[in-house]
Amino acid sequence: MAVYTHVPAEEMAALLARYGLGGLRSAKGIAGGVENSNYLVEAEGGRFILTLYEKRVDAGDLPFFLALLDHLADRGLPVPRALRDRDGVQVQTVAGRPACLIEFLEGVSLSHPTPAQARATGEALGRMHAALADFTPERPNSLGLVGWAALAARCGAAVDTIAPGLSARIAEEIAFLDAHWPTDLPRAVIHADLFPDNVLMLGDAVTGVIDFYFACTETRAWDLAVTHSAWAFSGDGADYRAEIGDALLAGYEATFGLSDAERAALPVLARGSALRFTLTRAWDWLNTPADAMVTRKDPLAYLRRLDFYAAHPECFPA
Amino acid sequence: MAVYTHVPAEEMAALLARYGLGGLRSAKGIAGGVENSNYLVEAEGGRFILTLYEKRVDAGDLPFFLALLDHLADRGLPVPRALRDRDGVQVQTVAGRPACLIEFLEGVSLSHPTPAQARATGEALGRMHAALADFTPERPNSLGLVGWAALAARCGAAVDTIAPGLSARIAEEIAFLDAHWPTDLPRAVIHADLFPDNVLMLGDAVTGVIDFYFACTETRAWDLAVTHSAWAFSGDGADYRAEIGDALLAGYEATFGLSDAERAALPVLARGSALRFTLTRAWDWLNTPADAMVTRKDPLAYLRRLDFYAAHPECFPA
C-alpha cells in the first residue's frame, strides 16, 4: 500500500490552521491500511494521521464510520477519532478527495503475538462489542454469504490457476455454509477485519484498534471467528496455534461472552471467515499484475485454515 | 515508493535495544526517498528513521555515504546521521538487509517554494560545499556524461514512443555536451540530487538535507546546475521561474560562490542536468509498467527544461 495522492506541504499547513493546531513540523506519507492515502503529520499541537479516502472507501459510508469511532471513543475504547475543525467539520476536502484528520495512537502491530497479547485482543474485542450494544446506525455487509457466492461466480474457473480444483472446493463450501449458516444469532455492528495489523499494542496492552473500513452489521459472533482465523495460525495457515486461539476466546469470554448457540456456531462461522478471505485474496491475486509493487497475499493461506476448521471443529470448545 | 521489506515489530524492538533507546512506541512504514524501505520509528529515546537498503543502493557504497553524513553533521550541517549502536556499529542487518537507524529531522518538503526558501536552499548548498572542501573519500558518478551516452544507447529508439524525434534530440545534445563540457573546473563530492523533495524546511529555514544516495565526485558547480533545474521551473518544465532561479544562485554566491569559469559554464552544466533527468526518467518510463503502483515521472518535463536552457543561456548572469 502506498501513498496515492500527493498533498503539498503548503496545503497541509493550511488544513492544520483550520483545526487551530499550530504550524506544520513534519509530514511523511505512510504505507499500510486499506487503499487510502495516509500521512503521519506532526503539528505544533500534536501528531495526527491525515487520511485521504481513495476509491475503495465510499464517501457515503464516512458518516457511519465516523459515528462508530466517536461512539467507541466516547465509551473509552482506544480507537482513533476523526478531529473536528473549528467549525465542527470532520470531513474535509484535501487534494480533491474526502479527507479526515485523525488522532494518532501509539503502539505497534505484532507479527508474532503471544498468548497474553491474544488474550488482550480478545478482551478488547469483547469490550468493543459491549460498547456497541447501543449503537444504532447500520451498514450492510457486502462480503457476507451472498456476497461470497457472487464473488466466487466472478472469479469463476480462473481460481483453478491458483490451485487445481479450487473452484469446485469453493462451490462445495458455499453449499455447506448455505445449509448450515446460523440465521438466528444476535446481529450488531462489528469490526469484521480484526487482523493483527489492525491492533496496536504496547507490551501486552491494546493501545489501539484501527481500520474500521469493513465495519458492518453482521452476526456478532462472526467478528470473533474472523479474529480467530486471523490470529491463531502461522502466516501460511499451515499451523494452528491452539494457545493463541484459546487465549483469544478466553479474553472475549471474560469481557463479553458467547451464548450457547453462538458457541455452537463458531466452527461454521470460522469456516465462513476462512472462505471469505480465501475468496477476496483469490480475487486480488487474479486481478493484481505479478509485477505490481504491492504484495499479493496468498489465498491458499486461508484455504489451509478452511481445511483445518472443517477437520477440527473441536478447536472451539463447546 | 513503498515499503518493500516488512520488519516485524518484535525485530524492530530488538534492534532498538542494541542502541539503548528504550522501548518501541510506534513504527510506520513510510513512502518516499529512493528505493529503500523506510520506517518512522518512535522509541522511548526519540524518533528515528530505520532505512533498509534494497537493490538500488550498493551496500559497498554505504561506508562512503555514512562517512559523508558524519562529516557534514560534525560541521553543523542539518543532515541525518546514522546512529552507532552500543558497539559503535552503524550498519546493521535487519530482515536480511543492510540497514541503518538514522536521525529524524523535522521539516517538510515544499511543493511551491518561495524566492526566500530558494535562497535558503542555495545558501545551504554553498555551506555544504564549503564543509566538503576537506572531505577526501571519492565515489565515481555513474550518471555523468559517459553514463548518459550509455543510457541513451540502452534506451535506443524506444524513446521515440515517448515523443517523436526524442532519440535524435538526445543524440544531438550528447554531441553538443561532449564538445562543450568543461573539463578543468574544480571537482568535489556533491549531493547531485538536491530536488525540493530532498530539502526539509520550516518556514524559510532549511532544517534538513536528505537522500545522499546519488552523492559522488563530480564537477562541483554541476550540483548548483542540478539544483537550479529542479527548483526554478514549474513541475511540467513549461515555465521558468526567474525569481526562484536568481534567489538560488544568490544564496549560493553568499555562502560559497562561483569562479568566473564556473559561472561561464553554468548554461552548459544546466543542459547536462536537464539531459540527465530526461534520460533517467525516459528509462524508468520505458521500464515501468503503466499499471504499476508507482508514479512515473514525465521525461518531457526535463526535455522542456533542456529546450529552455539551450534557448536562454542568459538565465545565468555572467
Side-chain angles (χ1 to χ4, degrees):
Chain A
M1 308 296 166
V3 173
Y4 292 95
T5 302
H6 176 71
V7 181
E10 294 85 346
E11 184 169 356
M12 227 175 267
L15 178 76
L16 291 177
R18 290 216 291 276
Y19 289 82
L21 290 170
L24 176 64
R25 306 293 301 182
S26 175
K28 307 283 184 198
I30 60 177
V34 292
E35 291 187 22
N36 298 321
S37 299
N38 290 294
Y39 288 85
L40 177 49
V41 172
E42 184 170 324
E44 283 160 5
R47 269 173 307 169
F48 307 93
I49 303 286
L50 172 64
T51 297
L52 276 64
Y53 297 97
E54 309 283 351
K55 58 183 175 165
R56 269 228 186 170
V57 171
D58 182 340
D61 283 334
L62 280 180
F64 172 84
F65 296 134
L66 300 180
L68 175 59
L69 291 167
D70 280 345
H71 184 95
L72 289 169
D74 286 346
R75 282 150 186 81
L77 272 288
V79 301
R81 196 199 283 269
L83 276 71
R84 290 186 154 75
D85 71 11
R86 283 167 161 168
D87 298 324
V89 176
Q90 282 182 304
V91 183
Q92 311 286 342
T93 300
V94 175
R97 282 158 179 77
C100 289
L101 194 65
I102 296 173
E103 289 174 344
F104 174 87
L105 298 178
E106 283 199 332
V108 292
S109 301
L110 300 170
S111 295
H112 308 289
T114 63
Q117 292 165 331
R119 183 182 166 100
T121 298
E123 289 172 0
L125 182 64
R127 274 196 297 271
M128 191 159 68
H129 285 181
L132 288 172
D134 62 342
F135 183 69
T136 53
E138 302 202 349
R139 179 172 179 263
N141 179 15
S142 59
L143 285 167
L145 192 50
V146 174
W148 306 337
L151 188 54
R154 285 164 73 203
C155 287
V159 295
D160 293 337
T161 62
I162 300 172
L166 183 54
S167 62
R169 176 79 179 83
I170 289 171
E172 215 174 88
E173 186 66 22
I174 288 178
F176 171 85
L177 292 173
D178 202 25
H180 296 88
W181 198 253
T183 54
D184 51 358
L185 296 181
R187 294 170 62 81
V189 168
I190 64 170
H191 184 285
D193 196 39
L194 199 64
F195 279 60
D197 278 0
N198 294 335
V199 178
L200 301 177
M201 303 195 78
L202 285 176
D204 292 343
V206 173
T207 56
V209 177
I210 60 175
D211 256 355
F212 282 79
Y213 302 108
F214 288 101
C216 58
T217 310
E218 235 328 328
T219 303
R220 185 165 49 209
W222 193 59
D223 216 6
L224 181 59
V226 167
T227 309
H228 189 274
S229 68
W231 284 71
F233 292 83
S234 58
D236 64 0
D239 297 310
Y240 176 61
R241 294 178 172 157
E243 72 286 8
I244 298 289
D246 292 349
L248 197 67
L249 297 174
Y252 187 78
E253 291 280 8
T255 52
F256 192 72
L258 293 160
S259 68
D260 290 344
E262 287 176 316
R263 205 170 289 117
L266 275 182
V268 171
L269 296 173
R271 286 174 70 160
S273 168
L275 180 73
R276 177 252 190 263
F277 290 103
T278 301
L279 276 169
T280 48
R281 287 184 169 200
W283 174 259
D284 288 345
W285 190 272
L286 296 172
N287 292 283
T288 304
D291 58 358
M293 296 175 73
V294 287
T295 309
R296 300 194 298 179
K297 292 180 179 168
D298 184 5
L300 301 184
Y302 271 80
L303 187 64
R304 291 185 201 107
R305 287 161 162 88
L306 179 56
D307 290 339
F308 176 85
Y309 285 134
H312 298 285
E314 78 283 1
C315 76
F316 297 104
Chain B
M1 310 294 167
V3 173
Y4 291 95
T5 302
H6 176 71
V7 181
E10 294 84 349
E11 184 170 357
M12 228 176 266
L15 178 76
L16 290 177
R18 290 217 290 278
Y19 290 81
L21 290 171
L24 176 63
R25 306 292 301 182
S26 175
K28 307 282 184 199
I30 60 177
V34 291
E35 291 187 24
N36 298 321
S37 299
N38 290 294
Y39 288 86
L40 177 49
V41 172
E42 184 169 326
E44 283 159 7
R47 268 173 307 168
F48 307 93
I49 304 286
L50 173 64
T51 298
L52 277 64
Y53 297 96
E54 309 283 350
K55 60 187 172 160
R56 270 227 185 170
V57 171
D58 182 340
D61 283 335
L62 280 181
F64 171 85
F65 295 134
L66 300 180
L68 175 58
L69 291 167
D70 280 344
H71 184 96
L72 289 169
D74 285 346
R75 282 152 186 80
L77 272 288
V79 301
R81 197 199 284 268
L83 275 72
R84 289 185 154 76
D85 71 12
R86 283 168 160 165
D87 298 323
V89 176
Q90 281 182 303
V91 183
Q92 311 286 342
T93 300
V94 175
R97 282 159 178 77
C100 289
L101 193 65
I102 296 173
E103 290 174 344
F104 174 87
L105 299 177
E106 283 199 331
V108 292
S109 301
L110 300 169
S111 296
H112 309 290
T114 63
Q117 291 165 331
R119 185 182 165 100
T121 297
E123 290 173 359
L125 182 64
R127 274 196 296 271
M128 191 159 67
H129 284 181
L132 288 173
D134 62 343
F135 183 69
T136 52
E138 302 201 350
R139 180 172 178 264
N141 179 14
S142 59
L143 285 167
L145 193 48
V146 174
W148 304 338
L151 188 54
R154 283 164 74 202
C155 287
V159 295
D160 294 337
T161 62
I162 300 173
L166 183 53
S167 63
R169 177 80 179 83
I170 288 171
E172 212 175 89
E173 186 65 22
I174 288 178
F176 171 86
L177 292 173
D178 201 25
H180 295 88
W181 197 253
T183 54
D184 51 357
L185 296 182
R187 293 170 62 82
V189 169
I190 64 170
H191 184 285
D193 196 40
L194 200 63
F195 278 62
D197 278 359
N198 293 334
V199 178
L200 301 177
M201 304 195 77
L202 285 176
D204 292 343
V206 173
T207 56
V209 177
I210 60 174
D211 256 355
F212 281 78
Y213 302 107
F214 288 100
C216 58
T217 310
E218 234 328 328
T219 302
R220 184 166 49 211
W222 194 60
D223 216 7
L224 180 59
V226 168
T227 309
H228 189 274
S229 67
W231 283 72
F233 292 83
S234 57
D236 64 0
D239 296 310
Y240 176 61
R241 295 179 172 157
E243 72 286 8
I244 298 290
D246 292 349
L248 197 67
L249 297 173
Y252 187 77
E253 291 280 9
T255 52
F256 192 72
L258 293 160
S259 68
D260 290 345
E262 286 176 317
R263 206 170 288 115
L266 275 183
V268 172
L269 296 172
R271 287 173 69 160
S273 168
L275 180 73
R276 177 253 191 262
F277 291 103
T278 301
L279 276 169
T280 49
R281 287 184 169 199
W283 174 259
D284 288 344
W285 190 272
L286 296 172
N287 292 283
T288 304
D291 58 358
M293 295 175 73
V294 288
T295 309
R296 300 194 299 180
K297 292 180 178 167
D298 183 5
L300 301 184
Y302 272 80
L303 186 65
R304 290 183 201 109
R305 286 162 163 88
L306 179 56
D307 290 339
F308 176 85
Y309 285 133
H312 299 283
E314 78 283 1
C315 76
F316 297 105

